[in-house]
Structures are given as C-alpha cells and as structure tokens.
Amino acid sequence: MRTNRLILTGIFLLMLIGALACRKDKNNNDDTGRISMRLTDAPADYDAVYIDIQQVEFKMRGRAAIMLTPNRPGMYNVLNFRNGTDTLLVNTTVPVGDIEQVRLILGANNYVVVDGDTYPLTTPSGQQSGVKLNLHTTIEANASYDMWIDFDAGKSVNHTGSGKYQLKPVIRAYSALTNGRIEGYVLPLSAMATVYAINGADTVSAIPAPDGHFVISGLAEGSYQLYIEPAVLTFASFSTNVNVSFGVIANVGTITLL
C-alpha cells in the first residue's frame, strides 16, 4: 500500500509540474505579439542607392529598448523596392505594450550610383547614432502587425557638389492600419511621367513601372491632389482629386496623357 501511495504521489507531482509548465508557456505566448517590418521606397533619379542597415531598435513605453538584427543585415538597394514592392527586414515577436519609436542603425557602407559612377554617402554626425522614426503602435497579445519603413531616396540623398553626396534619411513609418494607398496606370510610357499625391505640405511621389503601373502607399486619410507631371513636354500634365481611406485602395484606373 505504501508503494502504491508513493507511485500515486509521484504521478500527481509529474502532472502538477506539467500543468505549471503549460501554464507558463501559455503566459509567455500571451505576453507577446508578432511584428513583420518591411522596407519600401519612393523613387529617385539615381542608378542605385545602397543603404547599410545593421540593426533595428524598437523603443517601448516603460520597457528597455529591443534591439533586433535584420533577416539580412547589410546593404539594400532601396530603388529595388518601389510601386508596392518591398523586402522583409525583421519578423519576430515583441512584448505587449506601446511602441513609441523605431531606430535604424546604419553601417558605414552607404553609397549612391550616378550615371554608372559610385560615390560614398556621408552621414551627418547627428544621425550617426541611428535614424529615428516615430511610430505609435500598441502591441496586443497574440496579434500580428505588418509595418513598413518607406525610404524616400530622392529626398534623402543630397548632392553637396564636387562629386560628394550626403545621406540625410527622409523616412516614413506606417502600419497596415494606417496605410492609405492610391494606385493606377499612367500611359503612354514615352511621357516618362512622375506621379505626386499632394495633401497640404505633404507630397509623396511615385515613378510608374515599365508597364505604367504605380502605387503610392503610407498615406494618411484625407483628400489628395493627384498630379501627374510628364518629363516629355509635348505631353500635358494631369490633375485630379482622390479621397484616401485606410483599408481601401483608391484605384484611379488608367490615365492617358495627351
């Protein structure tokens, strides 16, 4: 009988340990959410713009900063990620709470290619500690969040003269919940047009793909002037108003310049 009691006691202890372990695992899962952060780009008149991204830091309210290494740390040609194309930077879990800021930690290998020639991109001393982005998002337990870092290469690379270029990143950060989009087609391709979405002092641009397709993402809700400017002056510019709402793609169809 004593042996049976010992066996039953051992079984009970094993069951209790297993239950506590399961409870602990469940609590750990309940204390995190998943973030997928992607890199995309606004257009620029360069052959290539390479940015050396080494780490991504999330600053959360009331918690220590979370430092993450990208899936592929190193150089990214941001001009490869336009018109709705992006690349995954990080895909990981983070503690629940409020994200207040994202910081990109850049390495030293940043450069621009202009007409086939390569020039280093120097970084102002004030940004050598990282590029800071305000992104206010609340992470809830067991939820997944898609976020984008939109690098505006045209505004971020400054030609200072004598073959020297400076990197002063102009970047927007937005999530799937704050992603207003306008898309469509601009023809003919020979017009070499640039598309602008204008809301007050905020202007976001896109260069159509080889088939004429364009996407402008990360827009706040509101009314925008969609302005299309051809580089070939024999074509006339075009302008229309577009209403942007989160969760809805404002498709303007095909616009043919005359």
Side-chain angles (χ1 to χ4, degrees), residues 174-245:
Y174 56 90
S175 70
L177 299 177
T178 58
N179 183 12
R181 289 184 287 176
I182 301 174
E183 75 168 345
Y185 287 82
V186 176
L187 298 175
L189 302 179
S190 58
M192 302 178 63
T194 302
V195 184
Y196 300 90
I198 304 168
N199 184 330
D202 186 22
T203 299
V204 184
S205 61
I207 295 176
D211 63 352
H213 180 248
F214 73 89
V215 178
I216 301 178
S217 301
L219 300 175
E221 290 186 314
S223 178
Y224 287 78
Q225 177 193 8
L226 188 71
Y227 179 73
I228 301 175
E229 182 179 29
V232 178
L233 299 181
T234 55
F235 293 92
S237 60
F238 176 88
S239 179
T240 188
N241 292 325
V242 180
N243 290 321
V244 172
S245 300

Side-chain angles (χ1 to χ4, degrees), residues 74-121:
M75 291 181 292
Y76 292 80
N77 180 9
V78 295
L79 298 189
N80 287 337
F81 313 116
R82 297 182 288 184
N83 289 317
T85 302
D86 55 40
T87 187
L88 185 66
L89 280 181
V90 294
N91 182 18
T92 188
T93 56
V94 298
V96 298
D98 296 327
I99 295 177
E100 296 183 325
Q101 192 178 80
V102 178
R103 190 163 65 107
L104 293 183
I105 311 300
L106 303 183
N109 296 319
N110 306 292
Y111 62 91
V112 59
V113 181
V114 183
D115 296 330
D117 295 324
T118 299
Y119 302 91
L121 286 170

Side-chain angles (χ1 to χ4, degrees), residues 153-173:
K155 296 178 181 178
S156 299
V157 177
N158 299 312
H159 186 199
T160 60
S162 302
K164 295 183 179 180
Y165 290 82
Q166 188 179 66
L167 176 65
K168 298 180 66 175
V170 176
I171 303 176
R172 297 180 302 146

Side-chain angles (χ1 to χ4, degrees), residues 42-92:
D45 190 21
Y46 302 110
D47 298 341
V49 177
Y50 285 92
I51 304 301
D52 184 9
I53 302 177
Q54 292 296 322
Q55 290 183 306
V56 180
E57 181 188 69
F58 290 96
K59 290 190 175 180
M60 304 189 70
R61 182 180 302 167
R63 291 182 178 269
I66 301 171
M67 191 72 75
L68 302 172
T69 299
N71 291 0
R72 183 181 62 81
M75 291 181 292
Y76 292 80
N77 180 9
V78 295
L79 298 189
N80 287 337
F81 313 116
R82 297 182 288 184
N83 289 317
T85 302
D86 55 40
T87 187
L88 185 66
L89 280 181
V90 294
N91 182 18
T92 188

